[in-house]
Amino acid sequence: MPYQSISSQFHYYLQRDYIGNRSESVNPIKSYQEDVEQWALTAKKRMHEHCQCLLKAAANPRLLAEAINQIGRYEILGDDAKVAGPNWFPWEQLRNLKKEVLSGSFRRGKYRKVKIPKIGKEGSRTIEIPDDASRILSRNLCTLLTPMLDPDFYDLSIGFRPRRSQAHGIAAAKLLVDQGKHHMVACDVRDAFGSVPKVRLLQILRSRLHQSPAMGLIEELLDRKRKRGIPQGLSLSPLCLNVYLDHLFDHWWSEQFPDTTLVRYADDIAVFADTRAAAIDAYGAICQRMQSAGLQIKESQQDAIFDLTSNDHVEWLGFSLRLMNGDLDAVLGHSAWDKLHASLLEIRARLKNNELSLDHDVSQSGCQWLVQKSVAINEAAVPAVADQVRQLAAHAGLNMSSLNDEKAHEAWSRGQEFAKRAEKNVSEWMQSHEIVEVDEHVGQQF
């Protein structure tokens, strides 16, 4: 990835934006991202220097205020968010939090465990809800670490990453099927967040963050006491899971199995192969590699391998995939509706508990869902799908009448535009990957 380095003077100027206390008219996140991309990522020495300043940025009150905005002002500030203006924040509390972080005395509050039903499946899963201070620090750290770590991730790792989504997964699947990879391995990591070997994860993070002083804060937020697993419900955890699987699985797979293609969405794994024999070998290799990483695959071989030429349906990322007249067709799966219903029920519960403002626009959830799922919706079906969304909201005790057909079509159109960009992105990534493979093969000949 090409970068154009900035001058030392401009680097220090940008640093003042996100470490110092400059005017509120300056966007500290924008300055931080520019400094990482144009300075820290241009040389290993500069990255090392940047990582030594990371804790100061993690504790900066202005960046912590931005984290509150990202989480939701009302969610953190409650009624104060209504009474006060948009630029008001509890600055004294944030300055005290800064002192605790920089002195090393910060201790996370107790994480509240909540069991929630598994979407479309039997049983439940446990998420851990942090206290407000931990949520704010975790959100800020995620903002700071993403532009540093994300550029090195495997291209077709598409979950919990900027400018990547399920649309990229569907675009990749269609392109790979067009290339003749009609055999698919689709499987999940069992209890991924709860099973990650934490000591090994922290070793990887220390290496990638050049032994940054921020590691102490990261360890505290991930819970120093537990030996395995990271808290699901902490905004930092998906990034940590991506770091772990990228290091031990993604790049290893592309090197060891160049004739297949891996697409990963967090703990959802898909591998596309030319033949059933290759798919069987891939499944065995996935299980063996995950076991060596301290993780396990849920599905048996019988449940994980699909032959799309035999009219197999694959449930993946909330879509049902099947081969139709030689092309891969994606339709809305049952889990897509189940997840929407669960999301609406969560909104109702949060409204009841005064965790959301009473004027919260419920229709935004419906619009966002239509954007994400538009790749599997025909334009003529948009009004009918929107009506189903409204009915589902009503069943959850919410009024989504403001999601009219016009708004629904606008959301669908945005999703279609995003899907086209996703197709272009995936095509470029795969072409680049093929060029790298050719270059490596040529290099091996000499």
Side-chain angles (χ1 to χ4, degrees), residues 65-85:
E66 292 294 333
I68 291 174
N69 281 336
Q70 291 171 356
I71 296 169
R73 285 177 58 82
Y74 189 86
E75 193 165 340
I76 297 295
L77 304 177
D79 290 334
D80 288 339
K82 280 186 172 183
V83 178

Side-chain angles (χ1 to χ4, degrees), residues 17 44 90 96 202 233 345 348 351 368 433:
D17 293 350
K44 187 175 181 179
N96 289 335
L202 292 174
L345 289 174
R348 185 184 69 179
L351 285 169
Q368 185 178 7
H433 179 66

Side-chain angles (χ1 to χ4, degrees), residues 51-273:
C51 287
Q52 303 315 301
C53 298
L54 195 56
L55 187 63
K56 293 180 181 178
N60 185 278
R62 293 192 59 242
L63 280 169
L64 296 177
E66 292 294 333
I68 291 174
N69 281 336
Q70 291 171 356
I71 296 169
R73 285 177 58 82
Y74 189 86
E75 193 165 340
I76 297 295
L77 304 177
D79 290 334
D80 288 339
K82 280 186 172 183
V83 178
N87 294 323
W88 180 88
F89 293 93
W91 294 112
E92 185 176 354
Q93 294 178 34
L94 296 181
R95 284 190 287 269
N96 289 335
L97 186 57
K98 173 184 178 180
K99 292 177 183 177
E100 291 180 18
V101 170
L102 295 182
S103 68
S105 63
F106 170 77
R107 295 293 179 268
R108 63 173 183 84
K110 186 175 181 180
Y111 290 176
R112 181 164 54 92
K113 293 185 178 181
V114 177
K115 287 190 175 183
I116 60 175
K118 290 185 177 179
I119 307 301
K121 301 177 183 178
E122 294 182 358
S124 61
R125 61 189 178 96
T126 301
I127 64 169
E128 295 173 87
I129 301 175
D131 61 292
D132 285 348
S134 298
R135 291 182 71 189
I136 295 168
L137 286 168
S138 175
R139 181 66 261 173
N140 189 34
L141 271 170
C142 192
T143 298
L144 299 176
L145 296 182
T146 295
M148 297 168 55
L149 300 172
D150 188 84
D152 291 330
F153 286 165
Y154 173 66
D155 281 331
L156 291 177
S157 164
I158 56 174
F160 301 105
R161 295 184 62 189
R163 296 177 295 279
R164 281 169 171 78
S165 71
Q166 295 170 351
H168 288 87
I170 299 303
K174 288 183 176 181
L175 185 57
L176 290 165
V177 168
D178 285 344
Q179 294 175 357
K181 296 185 183 299
H182 295 150
H183 296 266
M184 184 175 174
V185 182
C187 53
D188 298 349
V189 179
R190 185 187 301 278
D191 187 24
F193 288 94
S195 300
V196 170
K198 208 176 69 163
V199 172
R200 203 169 179 183
L201 166 65
L202 292 174
Q203 288 173 343
I204 297 168
L205 281 171
R206 285 193 197 97
S207 175
R208 293 202 177 187
L209 298 180
H210 298 258
Q211 309 297 323
S212 171
M215 281 302 305
L217 176 59
I218 293 171
E219 289 181 44
E220 177 64 28
L221 290 170
L222 293 180
D223 188 354
R224 296 178 189 273
K225 296 179 181 179
R226 71 178 75 192
K227 296 180 180 179
R228 294 188 69 86
I230 51 181
Q232 188 169 0
L234 195 69
S235 57
L236 188 61
S237 293
L239 178 61
C240 289
L241 181 64
N242 272 337
V243 167
Y244 189 74
L245 291 178
D246 179 80
H247 186 85
L248 293 173
F249 183 66
D250 296 349
H251 294 287
W252 173 85
W253 185 272
S254 61
E255 291 171 2
Q256 297 296 318
F257 298 89
D259 293 332
T260 66
T261 302
L262 166 71
V263 184
R264 182 175 64 80
Y265 192 101
D267 57 348
D268 287 328
I269 295 170
V271 170
F272 295 81

Side-chain angles (χ1 to χ4, degrees), residues 26-72:
V26 177
N27 185 331
I29 293 179
K30 183 178 179 181
S31 295
Y32 176 84
Q33 291 174 341
E34 185 174 357
D35 195 40
V36 171
E37 292 173 1
Q38 305 294 336
W39 178 263
L41 292 179
T42 60
K44 187 175 181 179
K45 180 181 178 181
R46 290 177 175 179
M47 177 61 87
H48 177 80
E49 292 175 352
H50 174 82
C51 287
Q52 303 315 301
C53 298
L54 195 56
L55 187 63
K56 293 180 181 178
N60 185 278
R62 293 192 59 242
L63 280 169
L64 296 177
E66 292 294 333
I68 291 174
N69 281 336
Q70 291 171 356
I71 296 169

Side-chain angles (χ1 to χ4, degrees), residues 11-26:
H11 155 63
Y12 291 121
Y13 182 83
L14 289 172
Q15 229 181 18
R16 286 190 301 165
D17 293 350
Y18 62 84
I19 291 180
N21 189 26
R22 295 191 69 196
S23 166
E24 291 181 359
S25 62
V26 177

